[in-house]
Amino acid sequence: MMKQTLQSFELDDELTISEISPGFPIITINNSHASARISLYGGQLLDFKPHNQEEPLLWLSEKGLSEKALYSKNKAIRGGIPICWPWFGLLNEDSVLPAHGYARISLWGVHSTQSLSDGSTQVVLKISGTSTGMQQPDLQHYLDCNLSLTITVSNTLSLELQTTNRGLSPIVITEALHSYFKVSDIHKICIEGLEQVNYLDKVNDNMSCIQEGAVKFSGETDRVFVNTQADIHLIDYGFNRKITLSKNNSNSTVVWNPWQEKSQAMGDMSNEAWLKMVCIESANVHSNKIVINPEQSHCLTSVIRVEEIT
Ligand code: TA6
């Protein structure tokens, strides 16, 4: 069968495909509701901005564009929505395998692009276990997986990450849509929807804690909330907006800000970046890991919308 060229997926001015640097194709969407960019490297949404918003919803590191640190093979792009799959964090404590798995450091293929009747644009990206860099014998079971990401860009943003097990044995995965949100100032935000939820505190030896009130930030924060399906609200008093993150088939939510010292030690974040971002991730991690039986699928979904604070 003839391989389709990337250009054949373009939709006039609504969706175009170009290379941001050699080997890094980017889909650019501009429809009547919003604009967005998606990198095929990582299957990663980079930007999303409804036309009625002054500020983008997602944070993307500007550092590296000139230094080539942001777009380099075997390294995840810092910002937007990286896909953590088939594991979140380290595979196990002393693992030397890539943190957050292989999906975010693999080149995805375009399966389809479509202009929907309500003016939104839908893109389906795919990758198979064998086309990621996974080769290690103990990862064989993941090679039989197919992964599909459906992104729908409207005045809301929807992401559906579907894992299908084509192998003969059940597989276990952990996963996250590692969304980096742009904020006015980390001191001027709070996160609602996690009150009284149990979390593992990664900055405190994974201590088990209970969230009292809204999440507010005054230092490094890395919390894995378990057994929660609730909608999350990111209230930003500086931008006067509320971002709501709704999820499906997700039992964990991760909240992360590296704070000053860690952010400055990271080569792909500028010194002040920690003030302008927060990660809120729809996930299935730790005790919420997912088992997928042969010929079965599992679909993690996240929908993001924004409104003014009234
Ligand atoms: O989701 C939070 C987290 O797991 C943190 O522990 C932090 O290290 C972050 O992800 C970023 O990980 P990365 O591998 O992209 O540097």
Side-chain angles (χ1 to χ4, degrees):
M1 210 170 71
M2 268 239 301
K3 202 172 169 246
Q4 262 185 287
T5 63
L6 281 180
Q7 270 56 45
S8 67
F9 290 102
E10 294 188 325
L11 303 168
D12 298 322
D13 293 340
E14 183 178 334
L15 185 153
T16 53
I17 306 181
S18 57
E19 281 197 340
I20 200 158
S21 79
F24 290 88
I26 302 282
I27 297 178
T28 302
I29 294 171
N30 196 2
N31 61 29
S32 54
H33 303 290
S35 60
R37 285 188 309 159
I38 302 162
S39 165
L40 294 191
Y41 178 74
Q44 187 161 334
L45 201 96
L46 301 178
D47 315 296
F48 169 63
K49 186 169 101 55
H51 295 316
N52 64 4
Q53 294 296 304
E54 273 179 31
E55 296 290 341
L57 264 61
L58 301 177
W59 176 88
L60 175 67
S61 180
E62 79 284 357
K63 193 174 180 191
L65 276 173
S66 53
E67 300 167 28
K68 295 201 174 14
L70 192 53
Y71 298 101
S72 62
K73 294 265 157 74
N74 297 323
K75 187 179 178 314
I77 299 169
R78 178 74 61 197
I81 309 189
I83 309 287
C84 304
W85 182 96
W87 60 82
F88 175 86
L90 292 179
L91 181 57
N92 49 53
E93 241 173 52
D94 38 37
S95 175
V96 292
L97 296 174
H100 293 322
Y102 280 88
R104 67 176 187 161
I105 50 168
S106 298
L107 190 64
W108 292 55
V110 182
H111 175 74
S112 63
T113 57
Q114 201 184 349
S115 184
L116 304 182
S117 57
D118 63 358
S120 51
T121 312
Q122 193 166 77
V123 174
V124 181
L125 305 181
K126 291 201 173 188
I127 196 168
S128 63
T130 40
S131 48
T132 65
M134 289 188 269
Q135 280 158 358
Q136 299 77 353
D138 52 338
L139 300 180
Q140 282 299 311
H141 46 292
Y142 294 130
L143 298 182
D144 294 322
C145 284
N146 289 341
L147 199 55
S148 146
L149 178 68
T150 303
I151 301 175
T152 310
V153 176
S154 179
N155 51 359
T156 60
L157 174 72
S158 148
L159 283 96
E160 294 168 45
L161 180 69
Q162 175 159 308
T163 306
T164 303
N165 181 3
R166 294 276 178 229
L168 299 172
S169 321
I171 56 157
V172 178
I173 60 163
T174 53
E175 58 182 348
L177 299 168
H178 198 304
S179 320
Y180 286 78
F181 290 100
K182 178 168 181 174
V183 299
S184 60
D185 178 339
I186 192 73
H187 302 98
K188 292 188 182 154
I189 67 162
C190 71
I191 297 169
E192 293 178 351
L194 294 164
E195 297 79 3
Q196 295 307 312
V197 176
N198 191 258
Y199 67 89
L200 301 173
D201 192 352
K202 282 174 76 176
V203 297
N204 215 342
D205 277 339
N206 279 328
M207 190 159 54
S208 175
C209 305
I210 293 187
Q211 178 63 40
E212 303 293 344
V215 181
K216 293 183 181 156
F217 297 84
S218 55
E220 186 188 350
T221 304
D222 197 350
R223 298 183 185 174
V224 176
F225 293 86
V226 288
N227 303 331
T228 175
Q229 299 87 31
D231 282 5
I232 305 297
H233 305 290
L234 165 56
I235 319 281
D236 189 329
Y237 296 103
F239 283 160
N240 195 42
R241 72 182 183 188
K242 172 165 97 172
I243 294 175
T244 298
L245 183 71
S246 314
K247 50 195 206 135
N248 250 325
N249 296 324
S250 159
N251 294 316
S252 321
T253 297
V254 180
V255 174
W256 178 59
N257 180 287
W259 220 247
Q260 188 164 14
E261 208 181 315
K262 277 218 171 136
S263 162
Q264 292 182 347
M266 285 160 81
D268 55 8
M269 280 177 96
S270 66
N271 284 353
E272 304 304 314
W274 62 281
L275 286 163
K276 301 287 175 192
M277 53 73 62
V278 68
C279 287
I280 308 174
E281 309 161 36
S282 299
N284 288 301
V285 302
H286 287 269
S287 51
N288 296 138
K289 59 185 180 281
I290 299 287
V291 179
I292 310 173
N293 286 320
E295 296 307 324
Q296 298 295 305
S297 294
H298 155 81
C299 189
L300 164 66
T301 303
S302 193
V303 176
I304 294 166
R305 63 175 197 275
V306 59
E307 60 199 299
E308 259 181 46
I309 302 175
T310 46

